[in-house]
């Protein structure tokens, strides 16, 4: 498990997950993935709703089989992160 997932797992609030997800997203330059592909107007995570939106868009866009390109691999990595972030928020809300 990498440090980004570790930070998400030890988060004790939705605000921590939102902050970590925003920081994680900043690692992805807009030239690698456009904000609109994530359901965002800019590369910014403001709240849990943004995490849900990004998760929804990535789950539809990320390849389900072995990635054929670096771009596909990046999408899959982002999708995995935001899927877990969405689940983690649900755990904290519950």
């Amino acid at each position: 498990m990498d440090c980004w997932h570790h930070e998400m797992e030890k988060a004790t609030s939705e605000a921590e997950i939102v902050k970590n997800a925003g920081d994680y997203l900043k690692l992805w330059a807009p030239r690698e993935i456009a904000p609109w592909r994530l359901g965002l107007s800019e590369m910014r995570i403001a709240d849990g709703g943004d995490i849900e939106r990004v998760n929804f868009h990535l789950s539809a866009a990320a390849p389900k089989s072995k990635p054929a390109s670096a771009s596909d691999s990046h999408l899959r990595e982002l999708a995995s992160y935001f899927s877990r972030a969405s689940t983690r928020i649900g755990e904290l809300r519950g």
Side-chain angles (χ1 to χ4, degrees):
M1 182 182 301
D2 68 14
C3 65
W4 290 102
H5 286 269
H6 178 73
E7 288 298 315
M8 183 183 350
E9 295 303 325
K10 72 177 196 170
T12 58
S13 70
E14 184 172 334
E16 283 180 73
I17 293 173
V18 167
K19 181 194 176 311
N20 290 338
D23 291 345
Y24 184 75
L25 190 59
K26 287 176 188 174
L27 295 175
W28 300 89
R31 68 182 177 277
E32 292 182 59
I33 185 166
W36 61 267
R37 286 194 72 193
L38 303 173
L40 301 170
S41 59
E42 58 185 273
M43 293 296 258
R44 181 174 174 268
I45 301 294
D47 56 32
D50 284 344
I51 289 175
E52 295 294 329
R53 192 169 18 274
V54 169
N55 180 45
F56 174 80
H57 283 270
L58 285 172
S59 67
K64 306 298 183 238
S65 60
K66 184 173 169 71
S69 68
S71 177
D72 286 349
S73 182
H74 292 176
L75 279 177
R76 199 165 179 189
E77 187 176 336
L78 275 169
S80 172
Y81 181 88
F82 278 90
S83 174
R84 183 60 190 138
S86 178
T87 300
R88 188 75 177 103
I89 285 174
E91 292 169 359
L92 290 172
R93 287 178 179 169

